[in-house]
Amino acid sequence: MKTRLLEIRQGVLSKNDRLAQSLRQQFHKAGTLVINLVSSPGTGKTAFLERTLTEMAPHYRVAALVGDLATENDAKRLSRSGAPVRQIVTDGMCHLEAEMVAAHLADWDLAELDFLFIENVGNLVCPSGYDLGEDLRAVLLSVTEGEDKPLKYPPMFNSADVALITKIDLAEVVEFDREAAYANLRAVRPNVTIFETSAKSGAGLDAWIDWLAAQRKMRTAS
Amino acid sequence: MKTRLLEIRQGVLSKNDRLAQSLRQQFHKAGTLVINLVSSPGTGKTAFLERTLTEMAPHYRVAALVGDLATENDAKRLSRSGAPVRQIVTDGMCHLEAEMVAAHLADWDLAELDFLFIENVGNLVCPSGYDLGEDLRAVLLSVTEGEDKPLKYPPMFNSADVALITKIDLAEVVEFDREAAYANLRAVRPNVTIFETSAKSGAGLDAWIDWLAAQRKMRTAS
């Protein structure tokens, strides 16, 4: 029984992988850098993305897709940035799949986008196995949720290209242990790029956006 | 393909349900009140449970099982309370199942336990469908993770008997909106019992423990 379930799951996954690969080719051809944001619920993904979109919008062509189990609240919040935003409601599924991304992109002209952000469903397990065709997977870790999360959820942290420590403005009041957080992130993903950020104060946002711009330059040049 | 996967999942679930039902009967017979703690990663489940065990241990016979994907850290932390604690490592699975609970209880004499706490894997989706034979399901919501979580993860909050708002000592600094949190909890689970707690300051712990004792009295009397 266990084997049979596993086989079917692999079938589902490889269909997703094929579609993700075709999305990735479209993104590259269009020159769009795509970032998949993953994290536990409550790390502040939406606040962080809203601030990122707001600061990038005057300088770059940015857009976002945002996944949630049941509500459209996040798309409404993100739309305040002025960037085009679409909600993907997963009806209870705990991750996005490449097919949902493809369906919600259908009438957007990728050639008119420099950056596309995909805010995944808040979950530290399910999204890790689903490639969405992104260039970069960014995992968010808030100072309030405990420095041990990378060790407890290795597949998610191991599959990330960049780690964004969020709510850094609260570091002191929650006695955030910076050294432990860095050590745990690097234990599961050596050499991972780390930014310390705050959507409230704006700390770290410039460095993050400059890094994204550099990543885009590198990818489109190659 | 989708239908086939669903059927197999239902098969797995009902096997779990049958085993959970048999566990529930054992717990009742022994007079053990069992509490399944569920939440997103980082709400402070382990800190809350450590404080609960420490305060209860002089007055009641308490024990805990704690589930995690990959580490035994939580069992080590909880053992400081002096209560018997066992770790269940799920090897990447995002929830506990009744079978794991049964296996890890095997040589404990339930008749010697007043309360058994089961700390589920930190995840707001996966654990909701898995009955562990518990009397009470307690969902934790920290003031730092956003008041909107009940609306975004309805199955988890809807299946809970009691909601524990954690890290209440941080309410002011994170501008926690108490009214919104209560309204959202009650939108998905009307009349849910709510406690505001802090594992750091100890706020709300007495009320929570008194409530548990009353629940146990009610169950064992019936």
Side-chain angles (χ1 to χ4, degrees):
Chain A
M1 187 104 143
K2 218 166 184 180
T3 316
R4 200 166 143 227
L5 182 58
L6 205 69
E7 277 166 11
I8 295 174
R9 280 202 183 141
Q10 285 176 341
V12 172
L13 270 183
S14 70
K15 186 190 152 207
N16 184 77
D17 285 344
R18 281 195 303 276
L19 184 51
Q21 198 47 44
S22 127
L23 279 175
R24 185 168 283 114
Q25 285 163 0
Q26 290 177 50
F27 296 147
H28 278 208
K29 210 175 138 191
T32 311
L33 191 84
V34 179
I35 304 98
N36 181 4
L37 298 170
V38 296
S39 82
S40 154
T43 53
K45 270 192 305 305
T46 311
F48 178 80
L49 182 52
E50 184 181 351
R51 181 106 193 200
T52 299
L53 292 173
T54 305
E55 302 212 355
M56 290 183 84
H59 313 289
Y60 302 99
R61 299 169 303 173
V62 291
L65 295 177
V66 49
D68 252 311
L69 264 68
T71 72
E72 303 225 344
N73 299 350
D74 285 355
K76 284 180 204 147
R77 278 173 66 190
L78 292 174
S79 297
R80 297 187 299 210
S81 68
V85 176
R86 264 189 202 149
Q87 183 83 43
I88 306 177
V89 176
T90 65
D91 281 328
M93 276 181 72
C94 52
H95 60 267
L96 292 178
E97 298 186 2
E99 201 170 8
M100 303 175 193
V101 171
H104 285 78
L105 281 178
D107 59 343
W108 274 355
D109 183 1
L110 289 174
E112 293 187 355
L113 288 181
D114 299 324
F115 297 90
L116 171 67
F117 294 89
I118 306 175
E119 183 185 334
N120 220 310
V121 179
N123 198 298
L124 272 181
V125 180
C126 318
S128 71
Y130 288 86
D131 184 3
L132 305 180
E134 72 265 23
D135 293 289
L136 299 167
R137 188 173 293 191
V139 65
L140 282 72
L141 175 71
S142 70
V143 298
T144 61
E145 66 183 310
E147 300 81 1
D148 57 344
K149 294 297 163 292
L151 303 183
K152 287 185 165 186
Y153 299 88
M156 186 60 97
F157 285 89
N158 180 259
S159 72
D161 301 291
V162 53
L164 299 160
I165 298 177
T166 57
K167 308 190 189 182
I168 197 73
D169 54 295
L170 296 174
E172 236 172 279
V173 66
V174 300
E175 297 162 35
F176 176 63
D177 185 341
R178 175 175 282 106
E179 251 179 75
Y182 276 65
N184 292 343
L185 283 167
R186 287 179 173 147
V188 291
R189 182 70 167 174
N191 303 319
V192 65
T193 302
I194 304 174
F195 292 98
E196 299 185 9
T197 68
S198 166
K200 200 170 177 184
S201 73
L205 262 289
D206 283 352
W208 155 244
I209 292 169
D210 288 349
W211 182 81
L212 283 180
Q215 291 290 320
R216 179 166 179 267
K217 208 172 249 178
M218 264 170 31
R219 305 278 164 130
T220 48
S222 66
Chain B
M1 188 105 144
K2 219 167 185 182
T3 315
R4 201 169 142 223
L5 182 58
L6 206 68
E7 276 165 13
I8 295 175
R9 280 200 182 143
Q10 284 175 342
V12 171
L13 270 183
S14 71
K15 187 190 152 207
N16 184 75
D17 285 345
R18 282 195 302 277
L19 184 51
Q21 198 47 42
S22 126
L23 279 174
R24 185 169 285 114
Q25 284 163 2
Q26 290 177 51
F27 296 147
H28 279 208
K29 211 175 138 191
T32 313
L33 192 83
V34 179
I35 304 99
N36 180 4
L37 298 169
V38 296
S39 82
S40 152
T43 53
K45 269 192 305 306
T46 310
F48 178 80
L49 181 52
E50 184 181 350
R51 182 106 193 200
T52 298
L53 292 173
T54 304
E55 303 214 352
M56 290 183 84
H59 313 289
Y60 303 99
R61 300 168 303 170
V62 291
L65 295 177
V66 48
D68 250 313
L69 266 68
T71 71
E72 304 225 342
N73 299 350
D74 284 355
K76 285 181 203 146
R77 278 173 65 190
L78 291 173
S79 297
R80 298 187 299 210
S81 67
V85 175
R86 264 190 202 150
Q87 182 83 43
I88 306 177
V89 176
T90 66
D91 282 329
M93 275 180 71
C94 52
H95 60 268
L96 291 179
E97 297 187 3
E99 200 170 8
M100 302 174 193
V101 171
H104 286 78
L105 281 179
D107 59 344
W108 274 355
D109 183 0
L110 289 173
E112 293 187 355
L113 288 181
D114 299 323
F115 297 91
L116 172 67
F117 294 88
I118 306 175
E119 182 184 334
N120 219 311
V121 179
N123 199 297
L124 272 181
V125 181
C126 319
S128 70
Y130 288 85
D131 184 4
L132 306 180
E134 71 265 23
D135 294 288
L136 299 168
R137 187 172 293 191
V139 64
L140 283 73
L141 175 72
S142 70
V143 299
T144 61
E145 67 183 307
E147 300 81 2
D148 57 343
K149 293 298 164 290
L151 303 183
K152 288 186 166 185
Y153 298 88
M156 185 60 96
F157 286 88
N158 181 259
S159 71
D161 301 290
V162 53
L164 299 160
I165 298 176
T166 58
K167 308 190 188 181
I168 198 72
D169 55 293
L170 296 175
E172 236 172 280
V173 66
V174 300
E175 296 161 36
F176 176 63
D177 185 340
R178 175 175 283 106
E179 254 179 74
Y182 276 65
N184 292 343
L185 283 167
R186 288 178 172 149
V188 292
R189 182 71 166 173
N191 302 318
V192 67
T193 302
I194 303 175
F195 292 97
E196 299 185 8
T197 69
S198 165
K200 200 171 177 183
S201 73
L205 263 288
D206 284 351
W208 155 244
I209 292 168
D210 288 349
W211 182 82
L212 283 180
Q215 291 290 318
R216 179 166 178 269
K217 210 172 248 178
M218 266 172 27
R219 305 279 163 131
T220 48
S222 66

